[in-house]
Amino acid sequence: MVPARALASFYFAYFAFIGVFATYFSLYLDKRGFSPAEIGILMSLLNVVRVVMPNVWAWLSDHTGAHLNIIRVTFSIAIFAFSALFFATGFWQLFVVIVVMCAFWSAAMPIFEATTMSYLEGDAARYGRIRLWGSVGFIVAVSAAGWWLDFVPIDWLLWLVLALMLVTLACAFIVPERITPPHEHDAVPIGDVLRRPGVGLFFLACFLMIASQGASFVFYSIYMVEQGFSKATVGVLWSVGVVAEIIIFLFLPRIFGRFSLYHLWLLSFGLTVVRFLIVAWMPSVLALQVFAQALHMFSFGTYHATALAVLHANFKGRLKARGQALYTSLSFGLGGAVGGMLSGWTWQAWGAGWTFTVSSALALAGLALILLRPDVLNRQPG
């Protein structure tokens, strides 16, 4: 039996925490007087650490079978590390604290995603109905935090994030452990899977998609505040993107029944190109920013669900968590880090407009890769 409510509660709490931290921590750093380049580096650390550490935790998870216990222990340590942000002041102090914190919280999502897909037996359409609660948590938390931070000092952000992390940990304790039965592919080396036609190109496309969103993760809130929008409005804009996510997740069963993975990825990458050109050159037009944020349903919703379907088809048995970890590391980790750090440099050297134009160009490169090599979306039997 699928523990849908327990899985949904963890997604809700985790993305409430991630949403508030990712959306407003750059504003906190800006208020503390850090330069755009320093903010880009510090925010990119959230992704740099995910290049390596999820693979460590995934290996441990696949070899011990203690998936949820690993999440509980590592997330507890991450909370303890986060508490040091209340005392850290200089750039290098923050650098060390963020690295340690992210090293441990990076275990949570790839292992949890693998657990969810294991419960659902790879049904990406059913996945959307559970995963959408993460989007709901994001909306509720980001919108409420944006309104609240218009009335209190930005330093209160740390207390809010700490509270949300504690709630996330509590939710991890109500999800039952999933016992993974033996699978015929347990003995298949992961290198053999990576050498399958299209698998390497699949990961490269994932890298390009998330790299294209690096500037948005780091600078979108700052950019919108510079246009004269309030923090509450910024929170609403972020929430529009997540509402769009929810809508697309609700319709995933119909979408997967009607369209191929190849065409869904073409649409996702193509509309991401359009999205960041709008952000780049029409930032002060609220209606267009609402539209651009709504395109997140493709930049993340259909893109991510399609990626999970490909992963589940190729990484079976005891390779599930490591497949998820590779996806996290190479896309959200390496892609997010490169995109974030690149945006810090381009923001300082060329300004906001060209920074988001570079974002559009990265998505365009991913689109070109898919057009030239359709086997990127080759779902070989596991």
Side-chain angles (χ1 to χ4, degrees):
M1 181 177 179
V2 178
R5 290 185 179 179
L7 294 170
S9 69
F10 183 86
Y11 280 116
F12 183 97
Y14 180 85
F15 283 102
F17 138 65
I18 286 292
V20 171
F21 187 84
T23 302
Y24 299 112
F25 192 62
S26 60
L27 293 175
Y28 171 82
L29 294 173
D30 186 52
K31 190 69 173 180
R32 293 278 301 272
F34 292 100
S35 70
E38 289 174 326
I39 294 172
I41 291 170
L42 290 173
M43 293 298 291
S44 295
L45 289 174
L46 310 180
N47 298 310
V48 170
V49 176
R50 288 198 287 180
V51 175
V52 176
M53 292 310 298
N55 297 287
V56 174
W57 303 123
W59 178 89
L60 187 62
S61 172
D62 281 338
H63 278 75
T64 65
H67 312 294
L68 271 298
N69 279 334
I70 290 172
I71 292 175
R72 293 160 188 158
V73 171
T74 55
F75 208 78
S76 297
I77 298 171
I79 291 172
F80 180 77
F82 177 85
S83 301
L85 288 178
F86 288 93
F87 310 102
T89 54
F91 173 82
W92 288 109
Q93 289 179 333
L94 282 165
F95 187 100
V96 171
V97 170
I98 291 173
V99 166
V100 174
M101 175 179 70
C102 295
F104 286 95
W105 95 34
S106 65
M109 196 40 56
I111 295 175
F112 197 81
E113 291 272 64
T115 299
T116 300
M117 291 300 282
S118 179
Y119 270 117
L120 299 176
E121 298 180 349
D123 189 341
R126 291 173 65 203
Y127 164 85
R129 298 297 176 94
I130 293 174
R131 173 59 178 78
L132 70 83
W133 287 102
S135 304
V136 172
F138 187 103
I139 291 172
V140 171
V142 170
S143 299
W147 173 84
W148 186 59
L149 290 171
D150 276 331
F151 297 97
V152 301
I154 193 69
D155 290 349
W156 282 91
L157 174 68
L158 298 185
W159 289 104
L160 177 58
V161 173
L162 179 60
L164 291 171
M165 291 183 78
L166 290 169
V167 172
T168 303
L169 179 62
C171 289
F173 278 94
I174 68 173
V175 180
E177 187 68 81
R178 169 68 167 170
I179 306 301
T180 304
H183 191 277
E184 61 179 317
H185 285 78
D186 283 349
V188 175
I190 196 168
D192 288 356
V193 178
L194 293 175
R195 283 189 289 271
R196 290 176 181 171
V199 172
L201 293 172
F202 161 78
F203 282 120
L204 176 57
C206 292
F207 164 84
L208 289 167
M209 173 60 97
I210 302 304
S212 77
Q213 300 181 48
S216 184
F217 293 141
V218 177
F219 288 112
Y220 187 74
S221 295
I222 294 173
Y223 194 26
M224 291 299 101
V225 169
E226 287 181 352
Q227 301 306 310
F229 298 121
S230 68
K231 296 185 185 70
T233 301
V234 173
V236 170
L237 283 170
W238 279 98
S239 297
V240 166
V242 188
V243 168
E245 250 181 52
I246 293 173
I247 293 171
I248 208 73
F249 282 144
L250 284 171
F251 286 95
L252 276 182
R254 294 183 186 179
I255 292 170
F256 271 81
R258 186 169 298 180
F259 300 99
S260 70
L261 298 183
Y262 177 70
H263 288 105
L264 285 174
W265 253 26
L266 286 179
L267 185 65
S268 299
F269 279 78
L271 289 176
T272 301
V273 173
V274 174
R275 174 188 178 184
F276 289 124
L277 286 176
I278 293 172
V279 173
W281 301 112
M282 289 168 276
S284 61
V285 183
L286 181 59
L288 288 176
Q289 290 307 309
V290 170
F291 174 69
Q293 288 299 93
L295 291 179
H296 189 65
M297 72 169 63
F298 300 103
S299 299
F300 179 76
T302 55
Y303 155 77
H304 181 60
T306 300
L308 289 185
V310 175
L311 286 169
H312 186 79
N314 284 281
F315 296 87
K316 297 288 189 178
R318 289 189 176 273
L319 296 181
K320 287 198 302 293
R322 273 178 284 176
Q324 285 287 342
L326 277 171
Y327 170 62
T328 297
S329 295
L330 297 175
S331 58
F332 298 102
L334 185 61
V338 169
M341 287 190 285
L342 179 63
S343 70
W345 297 328
T346 56
W347 185 280
Q348 198 157 304
W350 301 340
W354 285 107
T355 294
F356 283 100
T357 301
V358 170
S359 296
S360 184
L362 289 168
L364 182 62
L367 177 63
L369 174 64
I370 301 165
L371 286 169
L372 292 172
R373 294 294 302 271
D375 56 346
V376 169
L377 271 290
N378 183 16
R379 290 177 64 185
Q380 298 202 18

